[in-house]
Amino acid sequence: MCNIERYLLQTDLEMDKIICIGLGYIGLPTATIAAGKGLNVIGVDINERVVDTINSGNIHIIEPGLKESVQKAVAAGNLRASTKPEQGDVYLIVVPTPFRGNHEPDITYVEAATRSVLPFLKKGSLFVIESTSPVGTTEKMQQLIYAERPELKGQIYIAYCPERVLPGNIIYELEHNDRVIGGIDDVSTEKAMAFYAKFVKGTLHKTNARTAEMCKLTENSSRDTQIAFANELSIICDKAGIDVWELIELANKHPRVDILQPGCGVGGHCIAVDPYFLTSDFPAESQLIAKSREVNNYKSAWCVEKIRNAVLEYEMKHTKKPIVALMGLAFKPNIDDLRESPAKYIAQNIMQFEMDGLQIVEPNIKAHHIFKLTDYKVAYEQADIVVFLVAHNEFKALTQRADKVILDFCGIFKR
Ligand SMILES: NC(=O)c1ccc[n+]([C@@H]2O[C@H](COP(=O)([O-])OP(=O)(O)OC[C@H]3O[C@@H](n4cnc5c(N)ncnc54)[C@H](O)[C@@H]3O)[C@@H](O)[C@H]2O)c1
């Protein structure tokens, strides 16, 4: 089939039945928003509990506004969840892409999801990977599809379109953020553009699959590197006796300087993970990106040392053990997500020293299977040493107390 024929095919074909593989933090909101625009969406997840929860109009993740949208879409008959894929017009792959122990990307979920839709692909199908992926993954899946279904060569559309939403604001951002869309060829890009135009209000930017894959990795590596700079500054300032928060505020008065805020490390399933997709595939070329990962990981270990030293100093000065409050466990402010959280890493390390008076606080979580949680006001009142690990809003409302040793790693009391 020549390109013109393919283009006609692309514009003629319906794209109303969507099969969304993976119903997690990204897949479920995507499926729900598409369903809200009147598309017929079948959400597929290997987790039966997830499928049952969604079909009953409920959700298994915390995201503002999502439950209402799911309820509406399910009640309207536009969204149905299933453990098995079926035939559709568009296949979206939105499954996890973690890394293995040695920081190598694991694309086995993407491969399994691709294999699961293989029997249903037909002439004119659009297959899109949204999962954050190493460069070349879309081409690998193209090869896999053509190896198993050679009759589909040149007959289907394959593209990559990464997601860049902020948890907590996913419903809005999914619809309004700009998207980068890269096909394995121009007609695939056009077909995917036409699909996303059905439910995305942000601008759609065309490119090829490899650039789109690299774009997502670039965005998160860029954030990681910029945070590493702030974290490194915080360590230098600590040694130099300079208030890093004041310093950054002053430096940012320069019209072309924009330094981010330091913290106790970098966490989450994106910024702390995705740069490894580059360092693993391009080890010689990604020196700065690799160093930034190291600096951000080191910052957490440095915080552990600072806490231990503060405890020892307290013991020497007061000849008794202090009550220590670790304030925050989440990987960033005002969420309940602990994935790859540096605060959680610090808490686990401090717990190993078997401190009697250790209090752990996370106001966004009611109970945890490892950590015994204490109310933040109670912990703040009782503690001799207060360690701020996450800048949750609740903590910012506390009054600074001169009678406590305060280790403020996230700028709670910055001026
Ligand atoms: N969460 C975010 O904020 C965010 C932002 C941008 C990009 N991403 C990327 O999006 C992708 C998905 O992330 P997420 O946070 O939604 O993951 P998640 O873990 O919340 O959800 C993934 C879902 O996929 C299901 N699944 C796994 N294999 C499957 C298969 N073969 N068939 C059907 N379902 C399967 C799992 O059961 C799970 O429910 C990842 O690549 C991630 O890096 C996530």
Side-chain angles (χ1 to χ4, degrees):
M1 190 171 36
C2 72
N3 266 357
I4 292 176
E5 279 173 315
R6 291 195 69 200
Y7 191 76
L8 286 175
L9 178 67
Q10 158 213 318
T11 45
D12 284 353
L13 267 175
E14 293 295 324
M15 290 189 287
D16 291 341
K17 186 166 176 192
I18 320 304
I19 312 296
C20 180
I21 312 290
L23 292 173
Y25 281 92
I26 301 299
L28 181 56
T30 304
T32 308
I33 284 175
K37 299 284 175 196
L39 299 172
N40 174 15
V41 183
I42 313 299
V44 180
D45 204 289
I46 46 173
N47 186 332
E48 224 164 288
R49 188 184 58 86
V50 167
V51 167
D52 292 342
T53 305
I54 293 165
N55 282 334
S56 68
N58 286 305
I59 56 172
H60 60 294
I61 49 180
I62 294 180
E63 181 58 37
L66 181 60
K67 189 171 174 189
E68 297 73 12
S69 307
V70 168
Q71 265 169 355
K72 233 168 129 182
V74 170
N78 291 341
L79 175 64
R80 175 167 59 81
S82 168
T83 53
K84 296 265 179 283
E86 59 187 73
Q87 198 151 67
D89 305 315
V90 180
Y91 297 86
L92 296 180
I93 306 296
V94 204
V95 294
T97 40
F99 58 72
R100 297 195 176 97
N102 52 1
H103 291 146
E104 273 180 19
D106 177 2
I107 61 162
T108 52
Y109 293 88
V110 173
E111 202 178 311
T114 303
R115 285 188 186 281
S116 76
V117 303
L118 268 177
F120 305 103
L121 295 174
K122 60 180 192 295
K123 186 175 174 178
S125 295
L126 170 64
F127 171 90
V128 183
I129 301 174
E130 286 205 0
S131 300
T132 303
S133 300
V135 175
T137 303
T138 311
E139 287 166 355
K140 276 190 189 151
M141 294 310 116
Q142 175 193 14
Q143 283 159 14
L144 190 159
I145 294 168
Y146 290 168
E148 299 290 327
R149 300 277 314 272
E151 77 282 10
L152 290 177
K153 256 188 203 167
Q155 303 288 323
I156 62 169
Y157 305 95
I158 301 177
Y160 181 77
C161 178
E163 188 47 72
R164 38 164 69 140
V165 291
L166 180 73
N169 198 28
I170 293 182
I171 296 290
Y172 176 83
E173 292 204 0
L174 236 160
E175 204 175 339
H176 292 87
N177 284 356
D178 285 12
R179 303 285 292 242
V180 173
I181 298 174
I184 51 154
D185 52 21
D186 290 347
V187 281
S188 292
T189 308
E190 292 296 343
K191 178 85 172 172
M193 296 277 289
F195 167 64
Y196 280 98
K198 285 174 180 274
F199 63 95
V200 173
K201 289 189 180 139
T203 306
L204 305 177
H205 303 272
K206 285 185 220 179
T207 181
N208 56 51
R210 289 175 78 83
T211 309
E213 288 162 345
M214 183 70 183
C215 188
K216 173 71 187 172
L217 304 181
T218 301
E219 290 159 14
N220 284 343
S221 299
S222 160
R223 300 271 303 156
D224 199 44
T225 302
Q226 290 176 60
I227 298 168
F229 182 75
N231 277 336
E232 188 161 289
L233 268 185
S234 70
I235 296 173
I236 296 170
C237 283
D238 184 73
K239 195 160 189 181
I242 292 168
D243 179 339
V244 69
W245 313 102
E246 184 192 357
L247 172 83
I248 291 175
E249 199 182 325
L250 293 173
N252 283 348
K253 300 287 180 205
H254 184 294
R256 284 167 297 281
V257 172
D258 189 10
I259 303 168
L260 300 184
Q261 300 293 295
C264 66
V266 168
H269 41 283
C270 288
I271 299 181
V273 173
D274 301 349
Y276 290 123
F277 290 16
L278 288 175
T279 59
S280 162
D281 286 347
F282 307 95
E285 296 79 9
S286 53
Q287 306 275 325
L288 180 62
I289 295 169
K291 197 73 202 168
S292 302
R293 281 281 65 240
E294 260 180 52
V295 168
N296 286 330
N297 288 338
Y298 171 68
K299 180 69 195 282
S300 309
W302 182 86
C303 291
V304 171
E305 266 316 293
K306 292 294 280 184
I307 298 166
R308 287 199 67 196
N309 289 340
V311 170
L312 291 175
E313 265 175 43
Y314 185 96
E315 282 174 4
M316 284 203 295
K317 192 169 166 192
H318 299 273
T319 57
K320 63 167 187 159
K321 288 190 181 300
I323 296 174
V324 177
L326 299 181
M327 308 290 276
L329 282 177
F331 81 78
K332 65 175 189 172
N334 309 317
I335 60 165
D336 65 342
D337 194 339
L338 306 191
R339 287 184 285 179
E340 309 293 328
S341 169
K344 186 175 118 183
Y345 163 88
I346 292 167
Q348 278 169 331
N349 270 273
I350 296 297
M351 275 165 73
Q352 284 173 11
F353 302 119
E354 292 176 10
M355 281 182 207
D356 294 337
L358 185 62
Q359 298 196 333
I360 296 176
V361 168
E362 179 41 74
N364 296 293
I365 295 180
K366 283 198 183 89
H368 192 272
H369 63 287
I370 298 175
F371 305 106
K372 183 177 174 291
L373 300 176
T374 304
D375 175 78
Y376 75 99
K377 283 185 186 155
V378 172
Y380 190 59
E381 189 55 42
Q382 291 179 351
D384 304 301
I385 300 177
V386 182
V387 185
F388 287 107
L389 297 173
V390 189
H392 288 315
N393 285 342
E394 290 88 342
F395 304 161
K396 289 182 184 167
L398 295 168
T399 313
Q400 193 163 3
R401 295 258 300 260
D403 59 330
K404 295 176 188 295
V405 176
I406 291 187
L407 299 181
D408 187 357
F409 295 130
C410 54
I412 292 292
F413 294 132
K414 70 181 168 196
R415 274 169 286 156

